[in-house]
Amino acid sequence: MAQNLQQLKKRIKTSDSIAQIAKAMEMIAASKIRKAQSCVEKHNPYARKIKYIVQRILTDKDLYEEIEKFSKERKGKRLIYIISPDKGLCGGLVVNLFKKVSFYVQSGDYVVAIGKKSTNDATRYNYNVLASFGMGTSFPKYDDIYPIIDIANKLYISGEVTKVSVIYTEFKNMLMQEPAIEEILPVKPDKSFKENQMDYIFEPDPQQVLEDLLPYYFEVEFYSAFMNAYASEQAARMTAMKNAKDNANDIAASLTNIYNKSRQEKITNEILDLANGQQEI
């Protein structure tokens, strides 16, 4: 019985320690998600406006051949970015993301892995990995994306790839994060614009405006995916750590009840032994 009590005390102590660690990680994730959520909400109007202008020009205006390559569908190899966390402990986020990856990525595609989890997954399934980058633990800066998207710029403009896509986890809210696929290039015109066509005056001309906007369009679309992936990671980790903390506390409480009952049973048995000994005397 004494040995069982010691084991119970060790298990209670372990559960309490796990609950404390999970609580600390939950608080860290909560502090990061507030900044990430704010940045995503502030960035979205800017991203939507650039996308709207680019699609409007592509829908309404006849452009030159050198611009059509950014909107014309072509057959050929694809370049796919996979954005994942560097670390785990974020619930089912990584598993759900890789289900999306396995469904979309084909053997002939080029892959750029961002995050250690995606790098490991791409290596395990023998994807054609061109480069890998770390996701990091701090909020991504805008300057961080330039060496990453430079690969897409070179391959797409040279014609080596005909499509550029990003697979990431979209941040819906604190409780919902869903894997998503964003096809950035070629730019798909929104056909709904044709239903309500309006004449615009572009200065200097539509081609020049589009040429100037396309680099920003690609940067903004990719950075949006990057921010969503980071915000989703922190939200999923906060939820996972909260669940782990609650479970650890429940286990500790249950073990404490068992310990108290066992201890009380031991004391009662000792009293009975003493009483029986006195009666024999």
Side-chain angles (χ1 to χ4, degrees):
M1 183 66 69
Q3 185 178 2
N4 292 338
L5 290 176
Q6 290 179 358
Q7 291 178 352
L8 285 171
K9 287 183 71 174
K10 288 181 180 179
R11 292 179 64 186
I12 292 170
K13 186 177 180 181
T14 301
S15 298
D16 289 335
S17 299
I18 292 174
Q20 291 176 0
I21 294 171
K23 181 180 179 180
M25 296 183 69
E26 177 193 0
M27 294 176 66
I28 293 171
S31 65
K32 290 182 178 181
I33 189 59
R34 281 193 288 269
K35 177 182 178 181
Q37 184 178 11
S38 175
C39 290
V40 169
E41 291 174 352
K42 291 178 180 178
H43 176 81
N44 284 340
Y46 174 71
R48 284 196 295 267
K49 197 63 177 179
I50 286 186
K51 187 174 183 179
Y52 171 83
I53 295 173
V54 170
Q55 290 182 338
R56 169 66 75 176
I57 296 175
L58 290 173
T59 303
D60 289 352
K61 300 295 180 180
D62 295 326
L63 303 175
Y64 296 97
E65 184 178 353
E66 58 267 21
I67 298 300
E68 287 182 353
K69 64 183 178 183
F70 290 100
S71 61
K72 189 176 181 180
E73 291 283 348
R74 294 174 292 166
K75 293 183 179 180
K77 290 187 175 182
R78 302 181 300 176
L79 175 63
I80 301 172
Y81 288 91
I82 304 173
I83 306 178
S84 74
D86 277 340
K87 300 179 180 179
L89 299 178
C90 46
L93 182 143
V94 175
V95 175
N96 294 332
L97 177 66
F98 290 155
K99 286 181 180 179
K100 200 80 168 180
V101 170
S102 62
F103 172 77
Y104 186 75
V105 178
Q106 300 175 0
S107 58
D109 296 331
Y110 292 130
V111 170
V112 175
I114 303 171
K116 292 181 181 179
K117 294 294 182 180
S118 62
T119 302
N120 295 337
D121 184 73
T123 303
R124 182 166 61 252
Y125 289 101
N126 296 320
Y127 293 147
N128 189 9
V129 181
L130 296 181
S132 61
F133 300 87
M135 181 65 183
T137 57
S138 58
F139 189 79
K141 298 179 181 178
Y142 200 88
D143 294 341
D144 296 339
I145 69 171
Y146 289 119
I148 302 175
I149 65 175
D150 188 54
I151 299 171
N153 288 329
K154 291 178 180 178
L155 294 179
Y156 190 84
I157 292 175
S158 66
E160 192 170 348
V161 299
T162 58
K163 182 177 291 187
V164 179
S165 304
V166 181
I167 305 178
Y168 65 102
T169 305
E170 185 180 1
F171 178 78
K172 298 287 189 180
N173 52 55
M174 297 296 291
L175 299 176
M176 184 182 296
Q177 304 86 37
E178 296 180 354
I181 299 174
E182 185 75 22
E183 295 182 354
I184 301 179
L185 291 174
V187 183
K188 293 183 179 180
D190 192 338
K191 296 180 180 180
S192 64
F193 292 150
K194 291 185 178 180
E195 299 175 0
N196 187 21
Q197 289 188 353
M198 297 178 64
D199 291 331
Y200 291 89
I201 299 176
F202 292 93
E203 187 67 33
D205 57 71
Q207 178 187 355
Q208 187 61 47
V209 172
L210 190 58
E211 284 180 344
D212 293 339
L213 275 180
L214 277 173
Y216 292 103
Y217 169 82
F218 183 53
E219 291 171 9
V220 164
E221 287 290 292
F222 188 82
Y223 189 59
S224 296
F226 216 91
M227 287 195 302
N228 272 271
Y230 178 83
S232 297
E233 175 188 351
Q234 303 307 323
R237 181 170 291 115
M238 185 183 69
T239 302
M241 291 300 99
K242 182 181 183 303
N243 293 336
K245 178 194 69 177
D246 294 341
N247 290 336
N249 286 329
D250 291 342
I251 292 173
S254 177
L255 291 174
T256 301
N257 289 334
I258 296 174
Y259 174 82
N260 291 335
K261 290 180 180 179
S262 299
R263 186 169 176 270
Q264 187 62 45
E265 182 181 353
K266 179 185 176 184
I267 294 172
T268 303
N269 290 334
E270 289 177 352
I271 293 173
L272 289 174
D273 290 340
L274 288 174
N276 291 332
Q278 289 178 356
Q279 288 177 2
E280 291 177 358
I281 294 173

